[in-house]
Amino acid sequence: MAPRKSKKKAPSFRKLLKTSNIKIENKLKNRQFKQQSIAKKHRKEQKKLKQALNNAATRTPLPLERYKKRPEDEEDEEEFEETLPVDMMEEDDLEQMKAMAQKASFLTRDLSSSEPVHARKRKQENVMDKYEKVPRLMQKEQEKELIHLLPIKDKTGIIPQTMEKPVVKKAEKENEDEGDGDGAEEVNAPKPLPLLTTQELVVLRRKRLEERKVCIAALGSSILSDPSANIKKLKELRSMLVELDPYVAVTVRKLVMVSLMELFKDIVPSYRIRPLTEAEKSTKVKKETQQLREFEEGLVSQYKFYLENLEQTVKDWKQMKKKKSDVVSLKSYKGLAEVAVKCLCELLVALPHFNFHNNIIVMIVPLMNHDCKKISEMSCEAVRKLFKQDKVGQASLGMVKVISGLVKSRNYEVKPEVLKALLCLRVKEVEVKKDADDIAPKKRFMNFKEKRKHLSRMQRKWKKAEEKLEKELLEAEATECKEKKLKLHTETLNIVFLTYFRILKKAQKSILLPCVLEGLAKFAHLINVEFFDDLLIVLHKLVESGDLSYRESLHCIQTAFHVLSGQGDVLNIDPLKFYTHLYKTLLRLHAGTANDDMIIVLQCLDVMLTKRRKQVSVQRALAFIKRLTTLSLQVLPNSTVGILATNRVLMHTFPKSDILLDNESQGSGIYLPELDEPEYCNPQNTSLWELHTLQRHYHPIVRKFAAHLIVGAPSEGSGALNVDLSRKSATDLFEDYSIKGMTFNPPVATPSSKKKEKFTIGDALLDSDLKKQIDSHLEATSIPSDLNFAAHFRKAFI
């Protein structure tokens, strides 16, 4: 009979593989669990061992109690000992038995031993290793000081040995200290300064200073002659920043700071030095390349240490804490700090491409808000220079980020000069629209397959040479990528506008508001269209609130019209309220301090009336021309010239304004100069009579403009202006004829003198009788004593 077949199916390979994987995972888990349990058990034993050692070290072991034995027990014990075969045992075995009897119980076991209880079941370990692993204990008791001696090892184990520190009497200790102190003073005490007179001190100081100057000059010239070979001398020169000679310490440190600054400006390369990677360090290079790497590495390290020294100098001055080893007085810290800040500012402007430029920015920006006026002005001037010379925008972006963070961290309580520096940014275009050059497809070079398909062998050869030449020409241009520049400028302006909008929202009564409004007026044409409505509402509220000064309100108006003249042309907004406010406040200007605000008024008029000529009515233009002419009578000559130049442009822009030059024209209504609405003051019913007054002005340019406007401001003919005056804008004329120097500009011609060389008395000037009387009196030597004028007067009439 055949064996019965099993109904169970043979497991597949996948199942076997799956089960084997599960078994492997279980084995791994069991192994990990076993290792964890062993480690846990080991930690417990170590904990118990340390605790036992602590107890043994802190407590002195008590002797075992010995109970008095009864005489009966003593007799039984003697009988028992007599029965033992002691004579059959050797002496060594007997002593070992007695020792084992003492260790019979855990109470009698020496706890200072590191041997576990069940030592026989485990392998024998080295006793010295266990003793070395035990941590040393610090004596907590201050009453008795213990000295740890070398331990003693016997059969029972290792016994630690300690002894009390012997107490030395105070008198002996003081004598020893005095003796040690005298010896130390003999070794480390500086030589006392010689007692010299003031003249000798001056001569000595001059001599030492000359020596230091010669040393600085020698080191500097050697570094400049061969920087790569003498880069190590930078360290020698930098070590003089800690000059310890009290006579010349301050002066030498200042000289070294300035010398190192000039050296770095000369020897620093025109590129940024990056650290080498591990792969680059391990590769073999040429000898010249290795020398260049060493030079770059040394230069970067010395430059870093130099900047750290400058930063530490400024910090010491801020904290006003004198160091123990420093020979410089607290009064000299300010002078050193000023020189250090000056060096930092020079490096900020001269080396914007080199390493650690961002670190210099972080050091300089907080100093812009410092209480010291000189340091604050130096820092602000350096930041303005950096903004003006930065063509790419990378350094400007880093500076703007730090300034924005400073303003926010100080809760908008910073000096206005910090935000005024942002007005020097060279950001003129942040356009989303691309230029025609960007839209045009770039020239693409042919690949190898295209060349082989369409060109012959000789043509391919010529094409290759042509493409190589074109690539070299493109590299020779070395122009910055427009897209990169545009991206940096956009990010910079986003941070600037974010700072401005935060101040407008949270700190409207801050002293920073004028700077914010001035900045918005300058960069308003670059603001995104999405913010126009909200920005105009905020500006109108500020103008109507009355909390702003006249200059601040002018900046608000200028910002609003810059917004509307740029991308705001697509918006259907009539800024009538801004026109009304400017028309109402024009007569506030005068020949005093308000004369400086005239340039903002001229810029506002250009944006409001000339550039928006299609949105301005004739009535509004006539009202502004009349009011400006009235204003020209009460301001300084340069402001008068600017106003008349603006009126000339408006007369050309609005030809119907010649009605103001006609006396006989009559319209409906009467001119109302006191009305603040330019649309309803009936300006067509008046004339520019002020021009006749200005024709008699002492300033020659004012007289020329007045005569030019009276005849209708012609472009050609006898009444036309000179080319120099007609081509200049109103703001340029305002600046050209400024009288800030308190002198006439142009100077007034002196009147011609008509003096005669000799003055003789003749018949033409004097009567003959009068001449005779004068001659007789002049020839008379004696003067009459009695001068009775009344008698002579009567005789003359009789």
Side-chain angles (χ1 to χ4, degrees):
M1 189 174 176
R4 191 175 179 180
K5 292 182 179 181
S6 176
K7 293 183 178 180
K8 293 182 180 180
K9 294 182 180 180
S12 63
F13 177 73
R14 284 185 179 178
K15 196 169 182 181
L16 288 172
L17 186 63
K18 189 175 181 181
T19 53
S20 61
N21 289 336
I22 293 171
K23 287 180 180 179
I24 291 170
E25 289 177 1
N26 291 337
K27 285 183 178 180
L28 288 174
K29 288 180 182 179
N30 293 336
R31 189 178 298 169
Q32 291 176 359
F33 180 75
K34 191 173 181 181
Q35 290 175 355
Q36 289 175 1
S37 60
I38 291 170
K40 189 175 181 181
K41 191 173 181 182
H42 181 68
R43 284 197 298 272
K44 284 184 178 180
E45 290 181 357
Q46 291 293 327
K47 189 176 180 181
K48 288 180 181 179
L49 180 62
K50 288 179 181 179
Q51 189 174 2
L53 286 171
N54 291 336
N55 295 337
T58 52
R59 296 178 184 178
T60 54
L62 298 174
L64 294 175
E65 294 182 358
R66 294 187 178 182
Y67 300 99
K68 294 181 179 180
K69 298 180 181 180
R70 299 176 186 177
E72 299 175 357
D73 297 338
E74 289 179 358
E75 292 177 359
D76 296 338
E77 194 175 37
E78 289 176 358
E79 291 177 0
F80 178 73
E81 286 179 356
E82 289 176 357
T83 57
L84 286 174
V86 180
D87 52 348
M88 297 175 65
M89 297 178 64
E90 295 181 0
E91 294 181 0
D92 296 339
D93 296 338
L94 184 61
E95 290 178 0
Q96 187 176 1
M97 289 283 290
K98 290 181 180 180
M100 288 175 64
Q102 291 180 359
K103 286 178 62 178
S105 170
F106 73 94
L107 291 173
T108 59
R109 189 168 60 89
D110 189 4
L111 295 178
S112 61
S113 174
S114 61
E115 187 178 359
V117 180
H118 307 285
R120 294 181 182 178
K121 296 181 181 179
R122 300 183 183 180
K123 295 180 179 180
Q124 292 290 335
E125 295 182 0
N126 193 358
V127 183
M128 292 300 294
D129 293 343
K130 287 185 179 181
Y131 179 79
E132 291 295 334
K133 290 178 182 179
V134 175
R136 271 59 171 170
L137 297 174
M138 301 296 293
Q139 188 70 22
K140 295 180 180 180
E141 297 179 2
Q142 297 181 359
E143 297 178 359
K144 296 181 180 180
E145 295 184 7
L146 299 179
I147 300 174
H148 294 275
L149 304 176
L150 291 174
I152 298 174
K153 182 180 178 183
D154 59 356
K155 294 180 180 179
T156 58
I158 296 173
I159 303 171
Q161 300 292 320
T162 58
M163 65 174 291
E164 293 184 5
K165 189 175 180 180
V167 180
V168 183
K169 294 182 181 180
K170 292 184 178 180
E172 296 176 1
K173 192 173 183 180
E174 288 177 359
N175 294 333
E176 289 179 1
D177 292 343
E178 289 177 1
D180 296 341
D182 295 340
E185 286 177 2
E186 290 176 1
V187 175
N188 299 324
K191 296 181 181 179
L193 296 174
L195 298 175
L196 303 174
T197 61
T198 307
Q199 187 177 3
E200 291 175 345
L201 287 174
V202 171
V203 173
L204 179 63
R205 181 183 180 278
R206 191 178 300 166
K207 182 181 177 182
R208 293 184 180 179
L209 190 59
E210 287 296 326
E211 292 176 357
R212 301 298 193 281
K213 285 182 180 179
V214 171
C215 181
I216 293 170
L219 290 172
S221 60
S222 62
I223 293 169
L224 286 176
S225 61
D226 192 359
S228 57
N230 299 322
I231 191 65
K232 292 183 179 179
K233 292 189 177 181
L234 275 175
K235 184 178 180 181
E236 186 178 350
L237 184 58
R238 190 176 55 81
S239 64
M240 298 179 72
L241 284 172
V242 289
E243 177 65 40
L244 299 178
D245 191 348
Y247 293 123
V248 294
V250 178
T251 309
V252 169
R253 291 184 186 187
K254 291 180 181 179
L255 292 173
V256 173
M257 285 181 192
V258 178
S259 302
L260 282 171
M261 181 261 294
E262 294 294 338
L263 281 172
F264 282 120
K265 285 168 63 177
D266 290 337
I267 66 175
V268 160
S270 60
Y271 54 88
R272 188 182 184 86
I273 299 173
R274 63 173 182 83
L276 298 175
T277 59
E278 295 296 332
E280 290 175 341
K281 291 179 181 178
S282 59
T283 55
K284 292 183 178 180
V285 292
K286 295 180 181 179
K287 186 177 180 181
E288 293 81 4
T289 308
Q290 185 64 28
Q291 289 178 354
L292 179 62
R293 286 182 177 180
E294 292 176 357
F295 166 71
E296 290 178 347
E297 186 178 356
L299 179 64
V300 171
S301 63
Q302 293 302 321
Y303 187 61
K304 177 186 175 183
F305 293 141
Y306 173 63
L307 293 178
E308 288 176 352
N309 288 334
L310 295 181
E311 184 183 11
Q312 190 61 42
T313 304
V314 178
K315 282 184 179 179
D316 292 342
W317 170 64
K318 285 182 179 179
Q319 298 172 357
M320 292 302 288
K321 291 182 180 179
K322 186 176 180 181
K323 298 179 181 178
K324 294 181 180 179
S325 60
D326 205 349
V327 295
V328 180
S329 62
L330 290 174
K331 294 180 181 179
S332 303
Y333 277 8
K334 185 178 180 181
L336 288 171
E338 288 177 357
V339 177
V341 173
K342 182 68 176 176
C343 294
L344 287 171
C345 293
E346 289 289 334
L347 294 173
L348 177 74
V349 178
L351 305 175
H353 61 279
F354 198 58
N355 301 48
F356 310 112
H357 189 257
N358 291 334
N359 302 74
I360 301 176
I361 290 174
V362 173
M363 284 190 280
I364 290 294
V365 170
L367 297 176
M368 297 171 68
N369 193 40
H370 201 270
D371 297 332
C372 183
K373 186 178 180 181
K374 188 174 180 180
I375 287 180
S376 178
E377 287 178 354
M378 281 194 298
S379 304
C380 294
E381 184 62 27
V383 173
R384 286 193 289 268
K385 283 183 181 178
L386 180 66
F387 284 152
K388 288 177 182 178
Q389 74 175 21
D390 186 20
K391 297 179 180 179
V392 182
Q394 187 70 43
S396 299
L397 177 60
M399 182 68 72
V400 168
K401 285 181 179 179
V402 180
I403 290 176
S404 177
L406 175 71
V407 174
K408 187 178 178 182
S409 62
R410 298 288 176 88
N411 197 16
Y412 313 106
E413 295 180 358
V414 296
K415 289 184 177 181
E417 288 77 8
V418 178
L419 285 185
K420 281 183 181 178
L422 297 176
L423 299 175
C424 299
L425 282 169
R426 294 184 61 176
V427 181
K428 295 182 180 179
E429 52 177 359
V430 189
E431 297 179 358
V432 180
K433 298 178 183 179
K434 293 186 177 180
D435 299 331
D437 298 337
D438 298 331
I439 295 172
K442 296 180 180 179
K443 189 174 182 180
R444 188 176 66 86
F445 296 109
M446 298 175 68
N447 56 22
F448 180 72
K449 289 184 179 179
E450 291 176 350
K451 289 178 183 177
R452 192 167 185 178
K453 185 177 180 181
H454 300 289
L455 303 176
S456 64
R457 186 174 182 181
M458 185 59 66
Q459 287 175 339
R460 287 199 300 269
K461 190 174 181 181
W462 281 102
K463 191 72 175 175
K464 184 177 180 181
E466 185 182 352
E467 289 179 356
K468 184 179 180 182
L469 181 61
E470 287 180 359
K471 286 181 180 179
E472 290 178 356
L473 289 173
L474 288 173
E475 292 176 358
E477 287 180 4
T479 56
E480 289 293 333
C481 181
K482 288 184 178 180
E483 295 180 358
K484 180 183 177 182
K485 186 178 178 180
L486 199 66
K487 185 178 179 181
L488 290 172
H489 285 180
T490 306
E491 189 176 354
T492 303
L493 268 190
N494 286 340
I495 298 171
V496 172
F497 285 139
L498 179 63
T499 307
Y500 286 166
F501 293 156
R502 278 175 180 166
I503 296 172
L504 280 177
K505 184 178 179 181
K506 299 180 181 179
Q508 290 187 356
K509 295 184 179 180
S510 172
I511 58 174
L512 301 177
L513 189 60
C515 306
V516 171
L517 296 174
E518 193 174 352
L520 287 173
K522 182 175 181 180
F523 304 115
H525 61 287
L526 302 172
I527 301 176
N528 196 348
V529 184
E530 298 175 357
F531 303 111
F532 281 1
D533 291 335
D534 297 333
L535 184 58
L536 289 175
I537 291 170
V538 171
L539 292 175
H540 182 258
K541 286 181 180 178
L542 287 172
V543 170
E544 293 296 328
S545 64
D547 297 333
L548 303 180
S549 64
Y550 185 60
R551 189 180 183 89
E552 293 170 4
S553 63
L554 288 177
H555 282 308
C556 285
I557 296 169
Q558 189 180 9
T559 303
F561 282 98
H562 272 299
V563 167
L564 295 175
S565 64
Q567 303 175 31
D569 289 338
V570 296
L571 302 176
N572 189 14
I573 297 174
D574 184 18
L576 179 62
K577 297 176 181 178
F578 293 105
Y579 281 104
T580 305
H581 182 78
L582 182 61
Y583 181 80
K584 180 173 61 176
T585 58
L586 269 178
L587 295 178
R588 292 186 187 179
L589 293 168
H590 50 80
T593 55
N595 189 70
D596 296 335
D597 300 335
M598 180 57 70
I599 190 169
I600 306 174
V601 173
L602 297 175
Q603 292 171 357
C604 290
L605 291 170
D606 182 43
V607 179
M608 295 166 66
L609 300 174
T610 308
K611 293 183 179 179
R612 291 175 59 86
R613 61 175 68 91
K614 295 181 180 180
Q615 289 89 359
V616 178
S617 63
V618 178
Q619 294 290 329
R620 192 180 297 176
L622 293 176
F624 270 98
I625 291 172
K626 176 60 180 175
R627 181 148 288 195
L628 286 171
T629 312
T630 306
L631 177 64
S632 63
L633 298 174
Q634 64 184 37
V635 292
L636 292 177
N638 60 334
S639 299
T640 305
V641 173
I643 289 172
L644 294 178
T646 303
N647 282 348
R648 177 179 177 272
V649 174
L650 292 177
M651 282 183 168
H652 290 168
T653 307
F654 301 95
K656 292 183 180 180
S657 59
D658 60 353
I659 195 174
L660 296 173
L661 302 175
D662 192 0
N663 253 350
E664 298 177 359
S665 63
Q666 293 291 332
S668 60
I670 303 171
Y671 175 60
L672 303 173
E674 71 278 359
L675 193 64
D676 293 334
E677 295 292 335
E679 300 284 347
Y680 309 109
C681 65
N682 301 323
Q684 74 278 0
N685 295 327
T686 185
S687 60
L688 302 178
W689 55 266
E690 296 89 356
L691 295 177
H692 292 280
T693 307
L694 292 174
Q695 274 187 314
R696 296 188 295 273
H697 201 278
Y698 74 89
H699 201 279
I701 307 300
V702 175
R703 292 198 300 268
K704 285 183 182 180
F705 266 100
H708 173 68
L709 293 177
I710 281 177
V711 295
S715 301
E716 296 177 354
S718 59
L721 287 174
N722 298 332
V723 179
D724 296 337
L725 296 176
S726 60
R727 289 184 177 179
K728 288 184 179 179
S729 63
T731 53
D732 293 339
L733 289 169
F734 176 82
E735 294 289 345
D736 291 344
Y737 295 102
S738 175
I739 55 172
K740 289 183 178 179
M742 299 304 292
T743 56
F744 292 107
N745 187 10
V748 179
T750 57
S752 58
S753 60
K754 297 181 180 179
K755 294 181 180 180
K756 292 185 177 180
E757 295 180 359
K758 295 181 180 179
F759 181 78
T760 57
I761 300 173
D763 297 337
L765 298 176
L766 298 175
D767 188 66
S768 58
D769 296 335
L770 181 61
K771 184 176 181 300
K772 290 178 182 179
Q773 291 180 10
I774 292 173
D775 291 338
S776 62
H777 281 288
L778 290 174
E779 290 173 357
T781 55
S782 61
I783 299 173
S785 59
D786 55 337
L787 296 175
N788 192 354
F789 294 101
H792 290 288
F793 186 72
R794 290 193 202 99
K795 288 179 182 179
F797 278 96
I798 292 170

